[in-house]
Amino acid sequence: RMAELRVEDAALPLEPHEKLTVLAKIAENAGRMEDMKGYMKERAETGVALNADERDLLSAAYKAIVAELRSSMDIMLEEIGEQAQAGNRKRAHSAQAYGAKLGGFLKQLCGELHEVLDPLIAKAEFGEPTVFYLKLKADYYRYMAENPMSKGKKEGLIQDCKGAYIAALKEADKHLLTTHPVRLGLSLNYAVFQHEVLRDTAAAIYTADTARRGAVESLTGMPEEAWRDAASAIVRLEDNVAMWREELDMAQQREGEAAMLEECDTSFSPKTADRKPLFHAGS
């Protein structure tokens, strides 16, 4: 994602908060995501409300760094497993220690963003700004809850995450159309939370499919531009619903097979079980 720099961005004089936004865009284009994050954090702390473009910049800055950390932790998990399987205990331990360090960075980053978001949420207008910030807050609770390198209790994080998602959904239901990209993105991420963290696949399917159907029904007869704005989120919702339904069907099939095996086992009497089987591995 390349930040768009317009002629008016470079026009002088710039207000301090405007300068920070311009610097954040320049840093993004230069691939300096840590600098971008710093500029947008400072921008958010000026007390001047962020516009939609600036909210996206704030989100993108933190997301880029979090994505890199999460990817690195996935690599460490593979390294730990490979080294443990090979009997290299020292190297596995070193990988575990480094992974825990990365997990600490993730926790620190998420906590930092939460501190930035709290005053923004308190002052945000109803509708899109409030939904956007609550969704972002919930997402970063989810990242902490999903942290594979964290061994601590996560019940509190999970409840905080769920609470932020529910608050965002209620606000979206009051103020945003079912086709609004922020509302669709919120439903998508809440469904992921239900699937990945709560392990409730049926609920995740319901959330995602309800959002998808609501958007499609509302878009019937609407201009192409409306479809274009919502298309990406609708496709991702459809893909997740299809994947999770297949996953749920397979799980139910396995449960059915296990129940049949258990029923077969209990149908044999001890006397029958002692008999030589009619068919065996050598047949």
Side-chain angles (χ1 to χ4, degrees), residues 73-91:
M73 284 191 287
D74 287 342
I75 293 171
M76 283 302 98
L77 283 175
E78 293 180 8
E79 178 76 6
I80 292 166
E82 290 174 1
Q83 297 304 323
Q85 188 173 9
N88 299 328
R89 295 178 60 186
K90 288 185 177 180
R91 183 153 180 172

Side-chain angles (χ1 to χ4, degrees), residues 134-253:
L134 286 171
K135 171 187 171 294
L136 201 56
K137 187 172 185 176
D139 287 342
Y140 280 72
Y141 275 129
R142 175 166 60 87
Y143 296 149
M144 286 193 286
E146 290 174 345
N147 181 357
M149 296 298 176
S150 174
K151 301 298 182 183
K153 294 182 179 180
K154 298 183 179 181
E155 289 81 0
L157 286 174
I158 293 171
Q159 289 306 312
D160 288 339
C161 182
K162 185 176 181 179
Y165 275 131
I166 294 297
L169 288 164
K170 288 180 179 178
E171 180 73 8
D173 193 47
K174 290 179 183 177
H175 299 287
L176 299 184
L177 297 173
T178 57
T179 57
H180 197 293
V182 173
R183 179 169 176 170
L184 289 171
L186 168 63
S187 295
L188 176 66
N189 286 14
Y190 181 53
V192 170
F193 166 72
Q194 290 175 303
H195 179 262
E196 297 294 331
V197 178
L198 299 183
R199 302 297 182 186
D200 191 343
T201 303
I205 292 171
Y206 177 81
T207 296
D209 198 41
T210 299
R212 181 195 65 81
R213 285 188 287 105
V216 171
E217 289 172 6
S218 297
L219 284 168
T220 302
M222 294 287 284
E224 184 180 343
E225 183 180 353
W227 280 94
R228 188 164 56 247
D229 291 341
S232 176
I234 290 175
V235 169
R236 292 171 67 189
L237 287 165
E238 288 176 344
D239 289 344
N240 280 0
V241 167
M243 178 176 63
W244 293 337
R245 278 179 174 160
E246 182 178 355
E247 178 183 305
L248 194 61
D249 288 343
M250 291 178 64
Q252 291 172 344
Q253 182 179 346

Side-chain angles (χ1 to χ4, degrees), residues 81-118:
E82 290 174 1
Q83 297 304 323
Q85 188 173 9
N88 299 328
R89 295 178 60 186
K90 288 185 177 180
R91 183 153 180 172
H93 179 74
S94 295
Q96 179 71 48
Y98 186 67
K101 184 178 181 179
L102 294 175
F105 289 152
L106 176 66
K107 181 180 179 180
Q108 180 181 353
L109 188 67
C110 292
E112 177 185 292
L113 181 57
H114 283 154
E115 290 181 0
V116 172
L117 288 172
D118 284 339

